[in-house]
Amino acid sequence: MTRSQVIRTTLAAGTAGLLAALSACGVGGPAAVQEAERTGKVAGEITFRTLQLKPAFTGYVQGVIDAFEQKYPQVKVRWEDVPGDGYNEKLVADAQAGALPDVVNLSTDSFQLLGDRGMLADVARLDGALARDYVPGAWEQFRLPGKGAGVYAYPWYVTPEILTYNKDLFRKAGLDAGKPPTSVDEFFDYAEQIARESGGRFSAFMADPKGRLPGDWQKMGIPILNERQDAFTFDTDRAVAWVERMKKLYAMGAMPKESLTKADDVNQLYGSGKIVFGPGSPGFVKDIKRNAPQVYDRTQVAGAVTGTLGHIGIYAQCLGIRKDTKHLDAATEFAKWVTNGPNQVAFSKQATIYPSNAAGLADPYFADRGDGTDAETLARAIGAEQLKTAALDANTPVQWTNQVGDAVVREMQKAVKGEQDAKTAVRKAQEAANRLLADAAKR
């Protein structure tokens, strides 16, 4: 499983349509919102919104708030937690009503939703020196195309990619469980052997291209965007070869047939020994340990496929600051407090996440491999090691919105099923993606 299957799971709520709704309702660009300025006084009541952290992490979050209010007694933090369903719609409604929180937890999509419309403060302007405090790629991930050196959110917790696989099924396919694939082509070679040797008893990986793109193409050295970042350029012979390989593997039975166009439960398939590669997430390993202990004992973890890049991308939840907050000093200091090293480490010990703060990631907790046999412990250490070589050019670009991804995937699915040739599929996918990109630029 590629990075995209890990990172694009929180909010898939039709960002493009919501952007249009913002424009239609008069929530305009940067000129529509006046940016607040620091006063030097950390005081006032601010609202802090998180995404689906209650009740599991109520104690942790409230403890962070209480400690901040003790340090800054003139600040009152009002915490609100909202469910994931309809989160972007709620942001739209709040934007229309002028009721955005002072500090708001954002995913990749919701960050773009507000950032593109000039509704978030430039934290590089406020705290540019903080860039060095974060792991590579985290700070830069919250830049926006066409907005220069601005950074529009503080990185919070991050998710790296790892490789997760059933070592017993590896061996049954004649593969060495101690030598996992390290490139996309090698991954496909392994999948082909799995299909040949399994006799239909198990598959290699899930078929839906949405989980693999654009990560696979990046790892293969395929240019996703031009140098100006204003046009997609993935229509290449290498991308066509990728589609042809996917088609061949699908026909061979390397992926469950039904997984091409519908969201099968990969946890159930992996947990029942029907698929070799699980999602590349340390959190998935923890879930398998709890829900399928018999398969957990056969689970092995390794570093993610990196291909020609030699490093991985990361997905970071972030904290945005409302651009026109009435209490900029309080909001900024609170966002920095939540995302500092000690607080991120404490959070990571309660949830399967990692600090974006470099000092936090250096905590011995993340380097501990135990005796080298427990998959969950190893996954945590491998994920932390991977984060040290994360880089911006491996991240899914903000131009690759859910709408762009869906347009590309539709063409890929047709080709994988044999309904159109690979070259046509890649050409049509790029044309559709560039139309969407051009439409977004006009807003």
Side-chain angles (χ1 to χ4, degrees), residues 394-437:
N395 287 336
T396 298
V398 294
Q399 295 91 333
W400 191 284
T401 62
N402 282 330
Q403 193 176 17
V404 167
D406 289 344
V408 172
V409 164
R410 280 194 293 272
E411 302 304 330
M412 299 302 106
Q413 288 172 338
K414 294 174 188 176
V416 171
K417 287 190 291 184
E419 295 176 358
Q420 68 179 349
D421 66 89
K423 191 172 184 63
T424 299
V426 175
R427 175 180 56 79
K428 290 172 66 176
Q430 181 171 293
E431 290 171 351
N434 277 327
R435 282 195 299 271
L436 291 166
L437 191 58

Side-chain angles (χ1 to χ4, degrees), residues 10 72 127 146 278 293 320 377 421 436:
T10 307
Y72 296 102
D127 285 304
T377 303
D421 66 89
L436 291 166

Side-chain angles (χ1 to χ4, degrees), residues 1 5 204-209 212 246 254-256 259 262-266 269 275 277:
M1 292 287 172
Q5 288 167 302
F205 64 100
M206 303 296 277
D208 187 2
R212 306 205 64 83
M246 284 281 288
M255 314 105 140
S259 70
K262 75 182 187 72
D264 277 3
D265 186 349
V266 65
L269 288 173
I275 196 165
F277 293 100

Side-chain angles (χ1 to χ4, degrees), residues 125-270:
R125 184 179 69 87
L126 297 170
D127 285 304
L130 278 182
R132 63 177 179 268
D133 292 347
Y134 295 95
V135 298
W139 180 260
E140 293 82 0
Q141 185 163 356
F142 298 106
R143 298 192 191 279
L144 289 163
K147 293 187 182 291
V151 174
Y152 294 91
Y154 291 97
W156 194 8
Y157 56 91
V158 298
T159 304
E161 181 190 359
I162 62 171
L163 193 68
T164 304
Y165 56 100
N166 184 315
K167 58 188 177 184
D168 282 6
L169 296 184
F170 239 58
R171 296 188 185 105
K172 287 179 181 179
L175 297 168
D176 184 347
K179 295 181 178 178
T182 60
S183 69
V184 175
D185 288 329
E186 191 174 32
F187 181 88
F188 284 166
D189 290 342
Y190 280 38
E192 187 169 330
Q193 182 162 332
I194 289 166
R196 283 198 309 266
E197 300 296 327
S198 72
R201 289 170 293 142
F202 51 89
S203 301
F205 64 100
M206 303 296 277
D208 187 2
K210 187 171 187 177
R212 306 205 64 83
L213 297 177
D216 274 10
W217 288 349
Q218 289 170 306
K219 291 172 181 179
M220 294 168 68
I222 295 168
I224 304 301
L225 290 157
N226 63 9
E227 288 187 6
R228 295 187 305 276
Q229 305 286 292
D230 61 0
F232 288 103
T233 57
F234 54 76
D235 184 1
T236 63
D237 291 343
R238 289 286 282 151
V240 172
W242 180 91
V243 180
E244 290 173 339
R245 196 78 191 275
M246 284 281 288
K247 178 182 177 181
K248 178 183 178 181
L249 289 169
Y250 184 71
M252 291 181 66
M255 314 105 140
K257 296 293 185 186
E258 62 278 6
S259 70
L260 180 62
T261 55
K262 75 182 187 72
D264 277 3
D265 186 349
V266 65
N267 289 46
Q268 192 278 328
L269 288 173
Y270 185 90

